[in-house]
Amino acid sequence: MAVKKKATPKKTTKPEVAAILAALKKGGSSKFKADMAARYGIVTKAEVYGVTVATLRGMAKMMDYNHALAEQLWATGIHDARMLACMIDDPAEVTPAQMERWVKGMDNWGLVDTACFHYWDRTPHAFAKIEKWSKVKDEFVKRAAFALLASCALHKQGSDEQFLRGLELIEREASDPRNFVKKAVNWALRAIGGKKSPKLRAAARSLAKQLAASDDPSERWNGKDALRAFAKP
């Protein structure tokens, strides 16, 4: 994704938010709205307009970072507006309290992954939240821990020591059978194993082999899937 120029904070008004919501509603697709659940497994209790991710990214590229606007869009409770909020919020202005508030309002993997991959990984709070959220029972909060760990690895945000600790968390939680947790744990393992650091590559592959030999079905799936990924050129 193209890096947007950081903007100075600015006050937003209700008419601005209303105009964005109108554009989102106009850009929505009933077909994509149906596909969200049927094809992509994105199920939410929130109101949905059915705006594609490509359209949302196009809108975000036309905007500067705007923390205040992101908060107002999040407050609407509309899924599409919240997705856009995750794309325009400023990592420099995010607080731990905001991350806690937002993650508790996430009921689908699309929102979780968008927040983690687009900007939470660039906050100074990322690894503290990974540690904390990895212990939480809620499926999407726990997914956020490992989606954030994967995003940090892919975007080179973090030290070898932090990622070695991440592997310990992966080992601890790899037996969680819930689909959205299991896939995030696997994503994080593959992302760490793909880093250039010889220490991390060796540690990730060793863990994958250990998990692949486990009697636990989820651990075994995580290990074997990661090993297949590591074997690719």
Side-chain angles (χ1 to χ4, degrees), residues 163-217:
F163 290 119
L164 288 172
R165 174 55 182 162
L167 289 174
E168 293 177 357
L169 300 179
I170 289 169
E171 180 180 5
R172 191 189 73 200
E173 303 299 334
S175 61
D176 194 316
R178 293 175 295 177
N179 184 53
F180 295 113
V181 175
K182 183 171 70 172
K183 288 188 175 181
V185 168
N186 182 264
W187 183 21
L189 176 57
R190 288 185 285 110
I192 295 173
K195 290 183 69 63
K196 291 184 178 179
S197 165
K199 182 192 297 185
L200 292 179
R201 291 172 67 87
R205 281 157 176 73
S206 176
L207 177 55
K209 289 178 182 178
Q210 175 189 321
L211 295 174
S214 173
D215 292 332
D216 180 87

Side-chain angles (χ1 to χ4, degrees), residues 96-97 99-101 103-104 125-137 141-142 144-146 148 165 169 172-173:
M99 293 174 74
E100 290 291 339
R101 178 164 43 83
V103 80
K104 289 174 183 175
H125 323 300
F127 282 92
K129 294 306 180 186
I130 290 167
E131 188 79 36
K132 180 179 180 180
W133 293 343
S134 69
K135 304 173 187 175
V136 175
K137 291 183 179 180
V141 176
K142 183 173 281 191
F146 293 100
L148 187 52
R165 174 55 182 162
L169 300 179
R172 191 189 73 200
E173 303 299 334

